[in-house]
Amino acid sequence: MTLTLTPSLTIRFRCAADGAWRVIRTHTRRLSIVSLSFLKMEVLVFKYHGE
């Protein structure tokens, strides 16, 4: 399931490959991604910067 809250912020929910708890962060000049995994669920937050 994908929620587009604003043109620069999108949240995606999906099933995780395993039940491990983890937080992964990565970013480029125009995009930041945060991935939260817990209880066989993964939440990805995409934040676009700039134009």
Side-chain angles (χ1 to χ4, degrees), residues 37-48:
S37 296
F38 57 94
L39 302 175
K40 290 273 193 176
M41 180 65 73
E42 186 173 23
V43 178
L44 295 123
V45 179
F46 299 90
K47 178 143 175 102
Y48 301 97

Side-chain angles (χ1 to χ4, degrees), residues 20-42:
W21 288 66
R22 68 176 68 106
V23 176
I24 300 171
R25 293 183 177 145
T26 187
H27 67 281
T28 64
R29 292 182 78 171
R30 295 187 181 240
L31 177 66
S32 296
I33 302 170
V34 178
S35 172
L36 307 164
S37 296
F38 57 94
L39 302 175
K40 290 273 193 176
M41 180 65 73
E42 186 173 23

